[in-house]
Amino acid sequence: MDTQNTHRVALVTGASGGIGRAVAERLARDGMSVVVHYAGNAGRAEETVASITGRGGRALAARADVADADQVEALFDTAERAFGGVDVVAHTAGVLRLARVAEQDLDDLDDLLRTNVRGTFAVAREAARRVRRGGAVITFSSSVVKLAFPGYAGYAASKAAVDALTPVLAGELRGRDVTVNAVAPGPTATPLFLEGKDRETVDRLAAQPPLERLGLPEDIAESVAFLAGPGRWINGQTVYANGGIA
């Protein structure tokens, strides 16, 4: 395997902003060509592409509904046509819907599960078929699976499914020299996380880790870069990137 990531190709879902954009930019700095996936905001995706190409990297934007099998297949086709193959899949795309169990709207829950569970499975399935030897698949879980924050039941359940899928896929890819791991961020300062939270809530969450701050998208991107590159002996694991929240 080329440990310097030269001529490697990464497909990053949800790369139009937040953690996904930081992941795309970080993998590009490691020398990878990057397919910047987005679901709806083409302008923000093109901003990510411009950020990468402006530093001399290679990137293109591609739209897909990650829960639609045909669109996911076409997304991988785009990567292969443009860059010759896929070596790293970082599946950051997901949605967040908050509600206490007693007030949970089941249509909202269906939407959440469609994107976070079916979408993860659709991307993982195509990755299992196409990622080249020496590659890596990085799914996205969440630290709320174990932190049990009120209001996060549906979201945590969707991410627990990712925790279950990840080691199974790692085992199924035996002999392929492809690692499969999940990254489970803790509270991270993204617009999605900060939306609807007052200053007191944000400060309380920031004080929880021993490092006494919220995570940054770049912190999570570093974990992904390690799993996508030198972290070859980590496989089938959920890596908690949360600053030490117990």
Side-chain angles (χ1 to χ4, degrees), residues 14-34:
S16 61
I19 290 173
R21 175 170 177 167
V23 168
E25 291 174 342
R26 179 65 178 80
L27 296 181
R29 288 200 300 275
D30 281 345
M32 298 190 200
S33 300
V34 182

Side-chain angles (χ1 to χ4, degrees), residues 11-14 35-38 60-66 68-82 86 89 91 123 126 130:
L11 168 58
V12 182
T13 67
V35 176
V36 174
H37 160 267
Y38 67 98
L60 62 82
R63 183 187 180 280
D65 173 357
V66 294
D68 184 299
D70 290 339
Q71 292 186 35
V72 171
E73 183 177 350
L75 184 63
F76 277 77
D77 288 344
T78 296
E80 291 178 348
R81 283 196 302 269
V86 178
V89 174
H91 179 55
V123 171
E126 207 61 34
R130 305 218 204 180

Side-chain angles (χ1 to χ4, degrees), residues 68-74 76-77 80 85-87 89 120-133 136-137 169 172-173 176 178 180:
D68 184 299
D70 290 339
Q71 292 186 35
V72 171
E73 183 177 350
F76 277 77
D77 288 344
E80 291 178 348
V86 178
D87 301 286
V89 174
T120 299
F121 204 103
V123 171
R125 184 177 72 165
E126 207 61 34
R129 295 169 174 174
R130 305 218 204 180
V131 169
R132 297 185 289 203
R133 292 188 65 85
V137 179
L169 180 56
E172 290 178 352
L173 295 185
R176 289 269 301 277
V178 173
V180 185

Side-chain angles (χ1 to χ4, degrees), residues 47-147:
E47 289 174 5
T48 304
V49 170
S51 173
I52 292 170
T53 57
R55 296 184 175 98
R58 301 175 69 202
L60 62 82
R63 183 187 180 280
D65 173 357
V66 294
D68 184 299
D70 290 339
Q71 292 186 35
V72 171
E73 183 177 350
L75 184 63
F76 277 77
D77 288 344
T78 296
E80 291 178 348
R81 283 196 302 269
F83 299 128
V86 178
D87 301 286
V88 173
V89 174
H91 179 55
T92 81
V95 297
L96 176 65
R97 303 279 189 274
L98 299 183
R100 289 179 177 269
V101 174
E103 289 90 39
Q104 177 70 64
D105 181 282
L106 294 184
D107 288 336
D108 283 349
L109 180 64
D110 286 343
D111 178 62
L112 179 77
L113 296 175
R114 181 182 185 276
T115 298
N116 292 2
V117 180
R118 178 185 170 95
T120 299
F121 204 103
V123 171
R125 184 177 72 165
E126 207 61 34
R129 295 169 174 174
R130 305 218 204 180
V131 169
R132 297 185 289 203
R133 292 188 65 85
V137 179
I138 298 112
T139 60
F140 262 69
S141 178
S142 172
S143 290
V144 300
V145 173
K146 68 174 183 176
L147 296 175

